[in-house]
């Protein structure tokens, strides 16, 4: 599929890897992302997808869940999370996969359910990258919450000098809590601040990520649920 002519070349916003075995979907997404200024690399199975990510260090990965071959998209996401904190948007054909996808095991940053609008997908990709770019900006000193240290410059989290691996979204959520200690934050406020105004998901997304932070940081994290309202840290 060719890029429609008559456009000036768009600036390079970085490389996106799409792992999708449905050629038509991959080509359609590829087209929209290229028109939005991204360089796009396609892989039709998980093994090739992981290779591409390792070689190309993309700014974002789109991962279909239903993939052929020895490794499906769920396993590929897990593997990706072990290796990097690159933002991952999962493409799923099933609504009932969304909970798993959003967090518990996988730490995906967002998802779309087939059939999806490529235009909406591009909007979500941009929203995620705006947020991760902003949180990568090295402006802040390390913050402490209880015995947890959050270093926004290095994007590192530690508990008593032991490093803790978080996904990009978990890190952003924790950093936001760290910057707003003692304040009760509603789920909607957290969605706006951490997921950004382009986020289309619902408030349970926040709960899923809070559960992950509690699981990974345990008692070191002084994070209280304020029933009927939201969360308060510190
Ligand atoms: Ca598929």
């Amino acid at each position: 599929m060719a890029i429609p002519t008559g456009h000036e070349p768009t600036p390079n916003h970085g490389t996106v890897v799409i792992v999708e075995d449905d050629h038509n979907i991959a080509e359609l997404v590829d087209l929209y992302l290229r028109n939005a200024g991204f360089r796009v690399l396609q892989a039709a199975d998980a093994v090739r997808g992981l290779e591409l990510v390792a070689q190309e260090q993309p700014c974002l990965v789109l991962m279909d869940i239903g993939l052929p071959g020895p490794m499906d998209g769920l396993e590929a996401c897990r593997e990706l999370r072990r290796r990097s904190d690159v933002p991952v948007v999962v493409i799923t054909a099933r609504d009932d996969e969304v909970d798993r996808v959003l967090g518990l095991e996988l730490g995906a940053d967002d998802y779309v359910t087939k059939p999806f609008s490529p235009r909406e997908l591009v909007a979500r990709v941009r929203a995620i990258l705006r947020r991760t770019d902003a949180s990568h900006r090295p402006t802040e000193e390390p913050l402490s919450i209880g015995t947890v240290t959050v270093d926004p410059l290095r994007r590192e989290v530690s508990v008593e000098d032991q490093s803790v691996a978080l996904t990009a979204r978990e890190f952003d959520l924790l950093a936001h809590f760290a910057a707003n200690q003692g304040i009760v934050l509603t789920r909607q406020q957290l969605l706006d601040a951490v997921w950004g105004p382009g986020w289309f998901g619902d408030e349970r997304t926040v709960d899923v990520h809070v559960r992950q932070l509690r699981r990974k940081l345990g008692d070191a994290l002084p994070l209280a649920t304020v029933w009927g309202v939201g969360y308060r840290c510190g």
Side-chain angles (χ1 to χ4, degrees), residues 20-22 64 66-67 114:
E20 165 63 85
D21 60 308
D22 183 321
D64 182 32
L67 290 170
K114 291 178 183 173

Side-chain angles (χ1 to χ4, degrees), residues 8-226:
E8 290 300 310
T10 34
N12 184 9
H13 296 312
T15 299
V16 172
V17 167
I18 174 166
V19 189
E20 165 63 85
D21 60 308
D22 183 321
H23 184 66
N24 291 331
I25 292 178
E27 281 293 309
L28 187 65
V29 171
D30 188 319
L31 174 71
Y32 272 77
L33 284 171
R34 269 185 290 138
N35 281 339
F38 293 94
R39 171 173 175 251
V40 183
L41 300 169
Q42 295 185 26
D45 64 71
V47 173
R48 177 68 189 138
L50 291 175
E51 273 173 18
L52 272 182
V53 171
Q55 285 162 13
E56 302 286 339
Q57 303 285 309
C59 63
L60 188 134
V61 177
L62 299 169
M63 180 74 73
D64 182 32
I65 291 298
L67 290 170
M71 190 188 287
D72 69 7
L74 293 173
E75 186 56 38
C77 279
R78 251 176 243 124
E79 187 56 36
L80 212 50
R81 275 291 157 262
R82 278 196 281 272
R83 300 179 185 189
S84 91
D85 69 348
V86 63
V88 178
V89 176
V90 158
I91 303 170
T92 169
R94 291 167 43 195
D95 260 335
D96 61 358
E97 279 176 341
V98 166
D99 257 346
R100 290 173 73 193
V101 155
L102 266 184
L104 294 172
E105 323 156 53
L106 298 181
D109 290 83
D110 200 352
Y111 68 94
V112 290
T113 307
K114 291 178 183 173
F116 57 86
S117 142
R119 204 179 299 272
E120 181 185 318
L121 179 63
V122 170
R124 290 191 187 200
V125 165
R126 283 185 160 143
I128 288 170
L129 293 176
R130 262 198 307 276
R131 179 183 49 72
T132 49
D133 279 358
S135 56
H136 275 95
R137 222 167 280 145
T139 53
E140 294 161 63
E141 292 294 306
L143 294 166
S144 296
I145 327 167
T147 53
V148 180
T149 303
V150 182
D151 185 338
L153 183 64
R154 299 171 184 274
R155 290 183 69 79
E156 285 174 358
V157 173
S158 58
V159 176
E160 290 166 357
D161 291 331
Q162 293 288 308
S163 162
V164 180
L166 298 182
T167 68
R169 188 79 79 175
E170 289 161 7
F171 180 89
D172 292 337
L173 181 60
L174 182 64
H176 190 71
F177 278 131
N180 292 277
Q181 292 182 51
I183 298 170
V184 178
L185 299 164
T186 67
R187 290 174 179 79
Q188 189 58 52
Q189 285 170 333
L190 290 165
L191 280 178
D192 289 345
V194 177
W195 279 259
W199 171 254
F200 297 82
D202 63 39
E203 295 187 351
R204 74 180 163 162
T205 302
V206 175
D207 299 331
V208 169
H209 285 77
V210 163
R211 275 203 299 277
Q212 281 296 85
L213 287 179
R214 284 176 167 154
R215 189 179 67 75
K216 291 182 175 179
L217 297 167
D219 293 338
L221 180 67
L223 178 61
T225 302
V226 182

